[in-house]
Every structure is written in C-alpha cells, then in structure tokens.
Amino acid sequence: MKDLKSYIRTIPDFPKDGIMFRDVTTLFANPASFKHTVDALVTAFKNDRIQKVAGIEARGFILGGAVAHRLGAGFVPIRKVGKLPHQTIEESYASEYGEAVLEMHMDAFGAGDRILLIDDLIATGGTAEAALALLERQGGDVVGCGFIVELPQLGGPGRLQARCERVVSLCTFKD
Ligand code: AMP
C-alpha cells in the first residue's frame, strides 16, 4: 500500500477561505486504505479492554463503528445538537472553522466504562475536547483518542493529553 496520506484528498478553501480541507472520503472509498486505517487503530488499542467506542458525527461514525466492531466494543454516537431523541447532555466548542454544540445521550454507557474516542481529524482539538468533556461528565474512563489525521501546527493533541493517556494519529499534514 502507498503512504496513507496519498489516499486523502485536499480541497483548498472548504468550507471557508483559508482552510485546507483534508477529505477522508477518498480513503474510506478505497478498500485497502480503509482496511489499513481500521487495522492500525484496532492494533493501537487492542490491549486496552475498550468497552465503548465513542465516534464524533459524522466521519467519526464511519471509522468508529468499524473500530468498535473489531474491538468487540459497543458504539456511542456524539452528535451535532438536536439529532439525538432521548435525554442528552451538551457541550459548546470552537473548532478550526467555527463554533457549534455537541450532544450525547445521558445513558449511553455505564460509569467507569473504558472508552476510546474516535474522529477522522484533530485540528485545534476543540471538538475532541468537548467530546471528552461529555464522556467524563457521565463518568466515562477515556482510555484513548484515535484519529486518522493530525494538524500539528494547531496543537490539538496537547489539549487532550492532560485528560487522556494515549492520543494516536496515523498521519500528519504540516501545512
Ligand atoms: P478541531 O475542533 O479544530 O480539532 O476540528 C476537528 C473537527 O473538525 C473534526 O471533526 C474534523 O472532521 C473537522 N475539521 C477541522 N479542520 C479540518 C480540516 N482542515 N480538514 C478536514 N476536517 C477538518
């Protein structure tokens, strides 16, 4: 297989001017790169006795669902506001390209459950930090966070490391 980065398409100025959007739909569409990505995250966390994988809408659902299945864990959706039907808790946050609110069902897991948080990409870390806050507020033990892409110039992983033992990203885009 080629370098994982070569399966990710870059769209300049999406969703707004100045953002280099790293589009992982091309990586998901290729059987070899999708398999490699899921395998790499499963390998990184296979000895962590993960009970639930929490995925952030929407690309974190695609990846997190596959990783949860392979780890023998359940799946918890963390969604944009207004989508979940039962009682929720919410957190506001700022990401690389705007402000928003994330929600999670209050009864999504049991207190003390060992959780792996998954998203496609970490930029400033604002989104993942809000998801971590939701998981912690409900008593989750967030053992790790896994991403396909890290944008190191924005310092995201540093914001998570204080609260989560292991932050894994499979590749970086430096500009
Ligand atoms: P942040 O909160 O700044 O770490 O932003 C991460 C979230 O926004 C993830 O859910 C990403 O899917 C999305 N995102 C932020 N920046 C980009 C980018 N340059 N390319 C693709 N997705 C991005």
Side-chain angles (χ1 to χ4, degrees):
M1 220 196 58
K2 292 179 288 177
D3 179 12
L4 200 60
K5 286 171 70 168
S6 66
Y7 295 91
I8 299 169
R9 172 168 59 189
T10 295
I11 313 281
D13 299 321
F14 181 88
K16 59 189 199 189
D17 281 357
I19 302 284
M20 296 289 273
F21 191 84
R22 308 301 176 177
D23 175 17
V24 297
T25 64
T26 43
L27 178 149
F28 288 158
N30 181 290
S33 55
F34 187 45
K35 181 174 189 319
H36 177 91
T37 299
V38 174
D39 286 349
L41 290 170
V42 167
T43 300
F45 295 102
K46 69 176 189 301
N47 297 324
D48 288 299
R49 294 177 287 114
I50 302 296
Q51 293 167 288
K52 294 277 196 284
V53 173
I56 303 175
E57 186 173 0
R59 294 175 293 271
F61 290 179
I62 297 161
L63 188 57
V67 170
H69 175 71
R70 288 278 308 283
L71 288 174
F75 181 78
V76 173
I78 296 183
R79 300 208 63 177
K80 312 279 164 58
V81 72
K83 305 281 189 182
L84 289 168
H86 194 52
Q87 276 183 300
T88 59
I89 56 171
E90 59 179 57
E91 280 281 333
S92 323
Y93 67 99
S95 81
E96 194 190 6
Y97 45 68
E99 290 185 12
V101 176
L102 286 180
E103 278 189 340
M104 184 182 75
H105 274 148
M106 291 183 80
D107 60 356
F109 54 84
D113 275 4
R114 295 173 66 79
I115 299 174
L116 169 63
L117 177 66
I118 293 282
D119 201 3
D120 65 326
L121 178 146
I122 181 160
T124 65
T127 309
E129 199 174 41
L132 258 176
L134 289 172
L135 296 166
E136 287 175 347
R137 275 168 62 191
Q138 291 309 107
D141 177 8
V142 185
V143 176
C145 299
F147 305 92
I148 307 171
V149 180
E150 173 184 337
L151 305 181
Q153 72 280 15
L154 296 176
R159 285 172 72 174
L160 307 184
Q161 266 144 10
R163 313 165 70 160
C164 163
E165 278 168 49
R166 289 204 301 129
V167 180
V168 171
S169 48
L170 304 180
C171 64
T172 59
F173 283 87
K174 294 209 167 56
D175 44 19

Coordinates of all heavy atoms in Angstrom, one line a residue, residues 82-169:
G82 N -29.5 18.6 18.6 CA -30.8 18.4 18.0 C -31.1 17.1 17.3 O -32.2 16.9 16.7
K83 N -30.1 16.2 17.2 CA -30.3 14.9 16.5 C -30.6 13.7 17.3 O -31.2 12.8 16.8 CB -29.0 14.6 15.7 CG -28.5 15.7 14.8 CD -29.2 15.7 13.5 CE -28.5 16.7 12.6 NZ -29.2 16.8 11.3
L84 N -30.3 13.8 18.6 CA -30.5 12.6 19.4 C -31.9 12.6 20.1 O -32.2 13.7 20.6 CB -29.4 12.5 20.5 CG -28.0 12.1 19.9 CD1 -26.9 12.3 21.0 CD2 -28.0 10.6 19.4
P85 N -32.6 11.5 20.1 CA -34.0 11.6 20.5 C -34.3 11.5 22.0 O -35.3 11.9 22.5 CB -34.6 10.3 19.8 CG -33.5 9.4 19.8 CD -32.2 10.2 19.5
H86 N -33.3 11.0 22.8 CA -33.6 10.8 24.2 C -32.9 11.9 25.0 O -32.4 12.8 24.4 CB -33.0 9.4 24.6 CG -33.5 8.9 25.9 ND1 -34.8 8.8 26.3 CD2 -32.8 8.4 27.0 CE1 -34.9 8.4 27.5 NE2 -33.7 8.1 28.0
Q87 N -32.9 11.8 26.3 CA -32.3 12.8 27.2 C -30.8 13.0 26.9 O -30.1 11.9 26.8 CB -32.5 12.5 28.6 CG -33.8 12.9 29.2 CD -33.8 12.6 30.7 OE1 -33.7 11.4 31.1 NE2 -34.1 13.6 31.5
T88 N -30.3 14.2 26.7 CA -28.9 14.4 26.4 C -28.2 15.4 27.3 O -28.9 16.1 28.1 CB -28.8 15.0 25.0 OG1 -29.6 16.3 25.0 CG2 -29.4 14.1 23.9
I89 N -26.9 15.4 27.2 CA -26.1 16.5 27.8 C -25.4 17.1 26.6 O -25.2 16.5 25.6 CB -25.1 16.0 28.9 CG1 -24.2 14.9 28.3 CG2 -25.8 15.5 30.1 CD1 -23.0 14.5 29.3
E90 N -25.0 18.4 26.8 CA -24.4 19.1 25.7 C -23.2 19.9 26.1 O -23.0 20.3 27.3 CB -25.4 20.0 25.0 CG -26.0 21.1 25.8 CD -27.0 21.9 24.9 OE1 -27.9 21.3 24.3 OE2 -26.8 23.1 24.9
E91 N -22.3 20.2 25.1 CA -21.1 21.0 25.3 C -20.9 21.9 24.1 O -21.0 21.4 23.0 CB -19.8 20.1 25.4 CG -19.6 19.4 26.8 CD -18.9 20.3 27.8 OE1 -18.2 21.3 27.4 OE2 -19.2 20.1 29.0
S92 N -20.6 23.2 24.3 CA -20.3 24.1 23.2 C -18.8 24.0 23.0 O -18.0 23.8 23.9 CB -20.7 25.5 23.5 OG -21.8 25.6 24.2
Y93 N -18.4 24.3 21.8 CA -17.0 24.3 21.5 C -16.7 25.2 20.3 O -17.6 25.5 19.5 CB -16.5 22.9 21.2 CG -17.0 22.3 20.0 CD1 -16.3 22.2 18.8 CD2 -18.3 21.7 20.0 CE1 -16.8 21.7 17.6 CE2 -18.9 21.2 18.8 CZ -18.1 21.1 17.7 OH -18.6 20.6 16.5
A94 N -15.4 25.5 20.1 CA -14.9 26.1 18.9 C -14.0 25.2 18.1 O -13.1 24.6 18.8 CB -14.2 27.4 19.2
S95 N -14.1 25.0 16.8 CA -13.2 24.2 16.1 C -12.4 25.0 15.1 O -12.5 26.2 15.1 CB -14.0 23.1 15.3 OG -14.5 23.7 14.1
E96 N -11.7 24.3 14.2 CA -10.9 25.1 13.2 C -11.7 26.0 12.4 O -11.3 27.1 12.0 CB -10.1 24.1 12.3 CG -9.0 24.9 11.6 CD -8.3 24.1 10.4 OE1 -8.8 22.9 10.1 OE2 -7.4 24.6 9.9
Y97 N -13.0 25.7 12.2 CA -13.8 26.6 11.3 C -15.1 27.0 11.9 O -16.1 27.2 11.1 CB -13.9 26.0 9.9 CG -14.2 24.5 9.8 CD1 -15.4 24.0 10.1 CD2 -13.2 23.7 9.2 CE1 -15.7 22.7 10.0 CE2 -13.4 22.4 9.1 CZ -14.7 21.8 9.4 OH -14.9 20.5 9.3
G98 N -15.3 27.1 13.2 CA -16.5 27.7 13.7 C -16.9 27.2 15.0 O -16.2 26.4 15.6
E99 N -18.0 27.7 15.5 CA -18.5 27.3 16.9 C -19.7 26.4 16.7 O -20.5 26.6 15.7 CB -18.9 28.5 17.7 CG -17.6 29.3 18.1 CD -17.9 30.5 19.0 OE1 -19.0 30.6 19.5 OE2 -17.0 31.3 19.1
A100 N -19.9 25.4 17.6 CA -21.0 24.5 17.5 C -21.3 23.9 18.8 O -20.6 24.2 19.8 CB -20.7 23.5 16.4
V101 N -22.3 23.0 18.9 CA -22.6 22.3 20.1 C -22.7 20.8 19.8 O -23.2 20.4 18.8 CB -24.0 22.8 20.6 CG1 -24.4 22.0 21.9 CG2 -24.0 24.3 20.9
L102 N -22.1 20.0 20.7 CA -22.2 18.5 20.6 C -23.1 18.0 21.7 O -23.1 18.5 22.8 CB -20.8 17.9 20.8 CG -19.8 18.0 19.7 CD1 -18.5 17.3 20.1 CD2 -20.3 17.4 18.4
E103 N -23.8 16.9 21.4 CA -24.7 16.2 22.4 C -24.4 14.7 22.4 O -24.0 14.1 21.4 CB -26.1 16.4 21.9 CG -26.7 17.7 22.3 CD -28.2 17.8 22.1 OE1 -28.7 16.9 21.3 OE2 -28.9 18.6 22.7
M104 N -24.7 14.2 23.6 CA -24.6 12.7 23.8 C -25.8 12.3 24.7 O -26.2 13.0 25.6 CB -23.3 12.4 24.5 CG -23.0 11.0 24.7 SD -21.4 10.8 25.6 CE -21.9 11.2 27.2
H105 N -26.3 11.1 24.5 CA -27.3 10.6 25.4 C -26.8 10.4 26.8 O -25.7 9.9 26.9 CB -27.8 9.2 24.8 CG -28.9 9.3 23.8 ND1 -29.1 8.4 22.8 CD2 -29.9 10.2 23.7 CE1 -30.1 8.7 22.1 NE2 -30.6 9.8 22.6
M106 N -27.6 10.7 27.8 CA -27.2 10.6 29.2 C -26.9 9.2 29.6 O -26.1 8.9 30.5 CB -28.3 11.2 30.1 CG -28.4 12.7 30.0 SD -29.6 13.3 31.1 CE -28.6 13.4 32.6
D107 N -27.6 8.2 29.0 CA -27.5 6.8 29.4 C -26.7 6.0 28.4 O -26.9 4.8 28.2 CB -28.9 6.2 29.5 CG -29.7 6.2 28.3 OD1 -29.2 6.8 27.3 OD2 -30.8 5.7 28.3
A108 N -25.7 6.7 27.7 CA -25.0 6.0 26.6 C -24.1 4.9 27.0 O -23.7 4.0 26.3 CB -24.3 7.0 25.7
F109 N -23.6 5.0 28.3 CA -22.7 4.0 28.9 C -22.8 4.0 30.4 O -23.4 4.9 30.9 CB -21.3 4.2 28.4 CG -20.8 5.6 28.6 CD1 -20.2 5.9 29.9 CD2 -20.9 6.5 27.6 CE1 -19.8 7.2 30.1 CE2 -20.4 7.8 27.9 CZ -19.9 8.2 29.1
G110 N -22.2 3.0 31.0 CA -22.2 3.0 32.5 C -21.0 3.7 33.1 O -19.9 3.8 32.4
A111 N -21.1 4.2 34.3 CA -20.0 4.9 35.0 C -18.8 4.0 35.0 O -19.0 2.8 35.4 CB -20.4 5.4 36.4
G112 N -17.6 4.5 34.7 CA -16.4 3.7 34.8 C -16.1 2.9 33.5 O -15.1 2.2 33.4
D113 N -17.0 2.9 32.5 CA -16.7 2.2 31.3 C -15.4 2.7 30.6 O -15.2 3.9 30.6 CB -17.9 2.4 30.3 CG -19.0 1.4 30.5 OD1 -18.9 0.6 31.5 OD2 -20.0 1.4 29.7
R114 N -14.7 1.8 30.0 CA -13.4 2.2 29.4 C -13.8 2.5 27.9 O -14.3 1.7 27.2 CB -12.5 1.0 29.4 CG -12.0 0.7 30.9 CD -11.2 -0.6 30.9 NE -9.9 -0.4 30.2 CZ -8.9 0.2 30.7 NH1 -8.9 0.7 31.9 NH2 -7.7 0.2 30.0
I115 N -13.4 3.8 27.6 CA -13.9 4.4 26.3 C -12.7 4.8 25.4 O -11.7 5.4 25.9 CB -14.8 5.6 26.6 CG1 -16.0 5.1 27.4 CG2 -15.3 6.3 25.3 CD1 -16.9 6.2 27.9
L116 N -12.9 4.6 24.1 CA -12.0 5.1 23.1 C -12.8 6.1 22.3 O -13.8 5.8 21.7 CB -11.5 3.9 22.2 CG -10.8 4.3 20.9 CD1 -9.5 5.0 21.2 CD2 -10.5 3.0 20.1
L117 N -12.2 7.3 22.2 CA -12.8 8.4 21.4 C -12.2 8.4 20.0 O -11.0 8.4 19.8 CB -12.6 9.7 22.0 CG -13.1 11.0 21.3 CD1 -14.7 10.9 21.2 CD2 -12.7 12.2 22.0
I118 N -13.1 8.4 18.9 CA -12.6 8.4 17.5 C -13.2 9.5 16.7 O -14.4 9.8 16.8 CB -13.0 7.0 16.9 CG1 -12.3 5.8 17.5 CG2 -12.7 7.0 15.4 CD1 -10.9 5.6 17.1
D119 N -12.3 10.2 15.9 CA -12.7 11.1 14.9 C -11.8 11.0 13.7 O -10.7 10.4 13.8 CB -12.8 12.5 15.4 CG -13.7 13.4 14.6 OD1 -14.4 12.9 13.7 OD2 -13.8 14.6 14.9
D120 N -12.1 11.6 12.6 CA -11.3 11.5 11.4 C -10.0 12.4 11.6 O -8.9 12.0 11.2 CB -12.0 11.8 10.1 CG -12.5 13.3 10.0 OD1 -12.8 13.9 11.1 OD2 -12.5 13.8 8.9
L121 N -10.2 13.5 12.2 CA -9.1 14.5 12.2 C -9.1 15.4 13.4 O -10.1 15.7 13.9 CB -9.3 15.4 10.9 CG -8.3 16.5 10.6 CD1 -8.2 16.7 9.1 CD2 -8.8 17.8 11.2
I122 N -7.9 15.7 13.9 CA -7.8 16.6 15.0 C -7.0 17.9 14.5 O -5.9 17.8 14.0 CB -7.1 16.0 16.3 CG1 -7.1 17.1 17.4 CG2 -5.8 15.4 16.0 CD1 -7.0 16.5 18.8
A123 N -7.7 19.0 14.6 CA -7.0 20.3 14.2 C -6.7 21.1 15.5 O -5.7 20.8 16.1 CB -8.0 21.0 13.3
T124 N -7.6 22.0 16.0 CA -7.3 22.7 17.2 C -7.5 21.8 18.4 O -7.1 22.2 19.5 CB -8.2 23.9 17.3 OG1 -9.6 23.5 17.5 CG2 -8.1 24.9 16.2
G125 N -8.3 20.8 18.3 CA -8.6 19.9 19.4 C -9.9 20.3 20.1 O -10.3 19.6 21.1
G126 N -10.5 21.4 19.7 CA -11.7 21.9 20.4 C -12.9 20.9 20.3 O -13.6 20.7 21.3
T127 N -13.1 20.2 19.2 CA -14.2 19.3 19.0 C -13.9 18.1 19.9 O -14.8 17.6 20.7 CB -14.3 18.8 17.6 OG1 -14.3 19.9 16.7 CG2 -15.5 17.9 17.3
A128 N -12.7 17.5 19.9 CA -12.4 16.3 20.7 C -12.5 16.6 22.2 O -12.9 15.8 23.0 CB -11.0 15.8 20.3
E129 N -12.0 17.9 22.5 CA -12.0 18.2 23.9 C -13.5 18.3 24.5 O -13.8 17.9 25.6 CB -11.3 19.6 24.1 CG -10.9 19.9 25.5 CD -10.1 21.2 25.6 OE1 -10.5 22.2 25.0 OE2 -9.1 21.2 26.4
A130 N -14.4 18.8 23.6 CA -15.8 18.9 24.0 C -16.4 17.5 24.2 O -17.1 17.2 25.1 CB -16.6 19.7 23.0
A131 N -16.0 16.6 23.2 CA -16.5 15.2 23.3 C -15.9 14.5 24.6 O -16.6 13.8 25.3 CB -16.0 14.4 22.1
L132 N -14.7 14.8 24.9 CA -14.1 14.2 26.1 C -14.8 14.7 27.4 O -15.1 14.0 28.3 CB -12.6 14.7 26.2 CG -11.5 13.8 25.9 CD1 -10.2 14.5 26.0 CD2 -11.5 12.6 26.8
A133 N -15.2 16.0 27.4 CA -15.9 16.6 28.5 C -17.2 15.9 28.7 O -17.6 15.6 29.8 CB -16.1 18.1 28.3
L134 N -17.9 15.6 27.6 CA -19.2 14.9 27.7 C -19.0 13.5 28.3 O -19.8 13.1 29.1 CB -19.8 14.7 26.3 CG -20.4 16.0 25.6 CD1 -20.8 15.7 24.2 CD2 -21.6 16.5 26.4
L135 N -18.0 12.8 27.8 CA -17.8 11.4 28.2 C -17.4 11.4 29.7 O -17.8 10.6 30.5 CB -16.6 10.8 27.4 CG -17.0 10.6 25.9 CD1 -15.7 10.3 25.1 CD2 -18.0 9.5 25.7
E136 N -16.6 12.4 30.1 CA -16.1 12.5 31.5 C -17.3 12.9 32.5 O -17.4 12.4 33.6 CB -15.0 13.5 31.7 CG -13.7 12.9 31.1 CD -12.5 13.9 31.1 OE1 -12.8 15.1 31.3 OE2 -11.4 13.4 30.9
R137 N -18.1 13.8 32.0 CA -19.3 14.2 32.8 C -20.2 13.1 33.2 O -20.8 13.1 34.2 CB -20.1 15.3 32.1 CG -19.5 16.7 32.3 CD -20.1 17.7 31.3 NE -21.6 17.9 31.5 CZ -22.3 18.5 30.6 NH1 -21.8 19.1 29.6 NH2 -23.6 18.6 30.9
Q138 N -20.3 12.1 32.3 CA -21.1 10.9 32.5 C -20.3 9.8 33.2 O -20.8 8.6 33.3 CB -21.7 10.4 31.2 CG -22.8 11.3 30.7 CD -23.8 11.7 31.7 OE1 -23.9 12.8 32.2 NE2 -24.7 10.8 32.1
G139 N -19.1 10.1 33.7 CA -18.3 9.1 34.4 C -17.5 8.1 33.6 O -17.0 7.1 34.1
G140 N -17.3 8.4 32.3 CA -16.6 7.5 31.4 C -15.1 7.6 31.8 O -14.6 8.6 32.2
D141 N -14.4 6.5 31.5 CA -12.9 6.4 31.7 C -12.3 6.5 30.3 O -12.3 5.4 29.6 CB -12.5 5.1 32.5 CG -11.0 5.0 32.6 OD1 -10.3 5.9 32.3 OD2 -10.6 3.9 33.1
V142 N -11.9 7.6 29.8 CA -11.5 7.7 28.4 C -10.0 7.3 28.4 O -9.1 8.0 28.8 CB -11.7 9.2 27.9 CG1 -11.3 9.2 26.4 CG2 -13.1 9.6 28.1
V143 N -9.8 6.1 27.8 CA -8.5 5.5 27.8 C -7.7 6.0 26.7 O -6.4 6.1 26.8 CB -8.7 3.9 27.7 CG1 -7.4 3.2 27.6 CG2 -9.6 3.4 28.8
G144 N -8.3 6.4 25.6 CA -7.5 6.8 24.4 C -8.4 7.6 23.4 O -9.6 7.6 23.5
C145 N -7.6 8.3 22.5 CA -8.3 9.0 21.4 C -7.6 8.6 20.2 O -6.3 8.6 20.1 CB -8.1 10.5 21.6 SG -8.9 11.2 23.1
G146 N -8.3 8.3 19.1 CA -7.7 7.9 17.9 C -8.2 8.7 16.7 O -9.4 9.0 16.6
F147 N -7.3 9.2 15.8 CA -7.6 10.0 14.6 C -6.8 9.4 13.4 O -5.8 8.8 13.6 CB -7.1 11.4 14.9 CG -7.7 12.0 16.1 CD1 -7.0 12.0 17.3 CD2 -8.9 12.7 16.1 CE1 -7.5 12.5 18.5 CE2 -9.5 13.2 17.3 CZ -8.8 13.1 18.5
I148 N -7.3 9.7 12.2 CA -6.5 9.4 11.1 C -5.5 10.5 10.9 O -4.3 10.2 10.7 CB -7.4 9.3 9.8 CG1 -8.6 8.4 10.0 CG2 -6.6 8.9 8.6 CD1 -9.6 8.4 8.8
V149 N -5.9 11.8 11.0 CA -5.1 12.9 10.6 C -4.9 13.8 11.8 O -5.8 14.1 12.5 CB -5.7 13.8 9.5 CG1 -4.8 14.9 9.1 CG2 -5.9 12.9 8.3
E150 N -3.6 14.3 12.0 CA -3.4 15.4 13.0 C -2.8 16.6 12.2 O -2.0 16.4 11.3 CB -2.3 14.8 13.9 CG -1.8 15.8 14.9 CD -0.7 15.2 15.8 OE1 -0.6 13.9 15.9 OE2 0.2 16.0 16.3
L151 N -3.2 17.8 12.6 CA -2.6 19.0 12.0 C -1.7 19.6 13.1 O -2.2 20.3 14.0 CB -3.7 20.0 11.6 CG -4.8 19.5 10.6 CD1 -5.8 20.6 10.2 CD2 -4.1 18.9 9.4
P152 N -0.4 19.3 13.1 CA 0.4 19.5 14.3 C 0.6 21.0 14.6 O 0.7 21.4 15.8 CB 1.8 18.9 14.0 CG 1.7 18.5 12.6 CD 0.3 18.5 12.1
Q153 N 0.5 21.9 13.6 CA 0.7 23.3 13.8 C -0.5 23.9 14.7 O -0.3 25.0 15.2 CB 0.8 24.1 12.5 CG -0.4 24.2 11.7 CD -0.8 23.0 10.8 OE1 -0.3 21.9 11.1 NE2 -1.7 23.1 9.9
L154 N -1.6 23.2 14.8 CA -2.7 23.7 15.6 C -2.7 23.2 17.0 O -3.6 23.6 17.8 CB -4.0 23.4 14.9 CG -4.2 24.1 13.5 CD1 -5.5 23.7 12.8 CD2 -4.1 25.6 13.7
G155 N -1.9 22.2 17.3 CA -1.6 21.8 18.8 C -2.8 21.0 19.4 O -2.8 21.0 20.6
G156 N -3.6 20.4 18.6 CA -4.8 19.7 19.2 C -4.4 18.6 20.2 O -4.9 18.6 21.3
P157 N -3.5 17.7 19.9 CA -3.3 16.6 20.8 C -2.8 17.1 22.2 O -3.2 16.5 23.2 CB -2.2 15.8 20.1 CG -2.4 16.0 18.7 CD -2.9 17.5 18.6
G158 N -2.0 18.2 22.2 CA -1.6 18.7 23.5 C -2.7 19.0 24.5 O -2.6 18.9 25.7
R159 N -3.9 19.5 23.9 CA -5.0 19.8 24.7 C -5.7 18.6 25.3 O -6.4 18.7 26.3 CB -6.1 20.6 23.9 CG -5.7 22.0 23.6 CD -6.6 22.6 22.6 NE -7.9 22.9 23.1 CZ -8.9 23.6 22.5 NH1 -8.6 24.1 21.2 NH2 -10.0 23.9 23.0
L160 N -5.5 17.4 24.6 CA -6.1 16.2 25.1 C -5.3 15.4 26.1 O -5.8 14.7 26.9 CB -6.5 15.3 23.9 CG -7.3 15.9 22.8 CD1 -7.6 14.8 21.8 CD2 -8.6 16.5 23.3
Q161 N -3.9 15.6 25.9 CA -3.0 14.7 26.7 C -3.2 14.8 28.2 O -3.0 13.8 28.9 CB -1.6 14.9 26.2 CG -1.2 13.9 25.1 CD -0.3 14.5 24.0 OE1 0.2 15.6 24.2 NE2 -0.1 13.8 23.0
A162 N -3.6 16.0 28.7 CA -3.7 16.2 30.1 C -4.9 15.3 30.6 O -4.9 14.9 31.8 CB -4.0 17.6 30.4
R163 N -5.8 14.9 29.8 CA -7.0 14.2 30.3 C -7.2 12.8 29.7 O -8.1 12.1 30.1 CB -8.3 15.0 29.8 CG -8.2 16.5 30.1 CD -9.2 17.3 29.3 NE -10.5 17.0 29.9 CZ -11.5 17.9 29.7 NH1 -11.3 18.9 29.0 NH2 -12.7 17.6 30.2
C164 N -6.3 12.4 28.8 CA -6.4 11.1 28.2 C -5.0 10.5 28.0 O -4.2 11.2 27.4 CB -7.1 11.4 26.9 SG -7.0 10.0 25.7
E165 N -4.8 9.3 28.5 CA -3.4 8.7 28.5 C -2.8 8.7 27.1 O -1.6 9.0 26.9 CB -3.5 7.3 29.0 CG -3.5 7.2 30.5 CD -3.9 5.8 30.9 OE1 -3.3 4.8 30.3 OE2 -4.8 5.6 31.7
R166 N -3.6 8.2 26.1 CA -3.0 8.0 24.8 C -3.7 8.6 23.7 O -4.9 8.4 23.5 CB -2.9 6.5 24.6 CG -1.8 5.9 25.5 CD -1.3 4.6 25.0 NE -2.3 3.6 24.8 CZ -2.4 2.9 23.7 NH1 -1.7 3.1 22.7 NH2 -3.4 2.0 23.6
V167 N -3.0 9.4 22.9 CA -3.6 10.1 21.7 C -2.8 9.6 20.5 O -1.6 9.7 20.4 CB -3.5 11.6 21.8 CG1 -4.1 12.3 20.6 CG2 -4.2 12.1 23.1
V168 N -3.5 8.9 19.6 CA -2.9 8.3 18.4 C -3.4 8.9 17.2 O -4.6 9.0 17.0 CB -3.2 6.8 18.4 CG1 -2.7 6.1 17.1 CG2 -2.6 6.0 19.6
S169 N -2.5 9.4 16.3 CA -2.9 9.8 15.0 C -2.1 9.1 14.0 O -0.9 8.9 14.2 CB -2.9 11.3 14.8 OG -1.7 11.8 15.3

